[in-house]
Amino acid sequence: MKKNVVFACSSGIATSTVVAEKVVEHCKDHGIEVVYQQAIIGELPSLDNSADLIVVTSQVETKLNTPLVNALPIITGVGEEELLDKIIKLLKG
């Protein structure tokens, strides 16, 4: 199963890279191949509807059609497993 995911943070590089690595590896362990791109939070409206899931590390005020999760638990380590499992459920839909 192949899924498209957008990882976004304030700079489009720092925390989204850390989160992308963990999510991609977790998905691989569950039979999901992730094709992804990294973005800046401000780019999300133009990326809406182009992915199966958007994973962010900062607050997003814009209403989007694409399912979105805040990956702060992956950065902090608090609630990380629960969030990774939620991502798998969302991608397997």
Side-chain angles (χ1 to χ4, degrees):
M1 171 185 309
K2 185 184 282 190
K3 295 292 182 172
N4 293 308
V5 179
V6 173
F7 293 93
C9 66
S10 299
S11 69
I13 300 169
T15 55
S16 62
T17 300
V18 172
V19 169
E21 289 173 359
K22 287 193 177 189
V23 170
V24 168
E25 189 61 34
H26 191 75
C27 287
K28 184 177 174 184
D29 292 344
H30 287 82
I32 301 170
E33 179 186 347
V34 174
V35 176
Y36 73 94
Q37 72 180 84
Q38 290 176 243
I40 297 168
I41 294 291
E43 296 174 314
L44 292 180
S46 67
L47 295 170
D48 196 15
N49 297 316
S50 70
D52 298 296
L53 180 66
I54 296 173
V55 180
V56 299
T57 59
S58 12
Q59 195 65 25
V60 175
E61 301 299 329
T62 309
K63 181 73 176 139
L64 302 169
N65 294 317
T66 305
L68 182 141
V69 295
N70 189 311
L72 196 57
I74 294 173
I75 301 298
T76 65
V78 178
E80 178 177 342
E81 283 303 315
E82 293 87 346
L83 178 65
L84 289 170
D85 290 342
K86 178 181 179 179
I87 289 170
I88 296 299
K89 286 179 185 161
L90 285 168
L91 291 176
K92 286 191 172 180

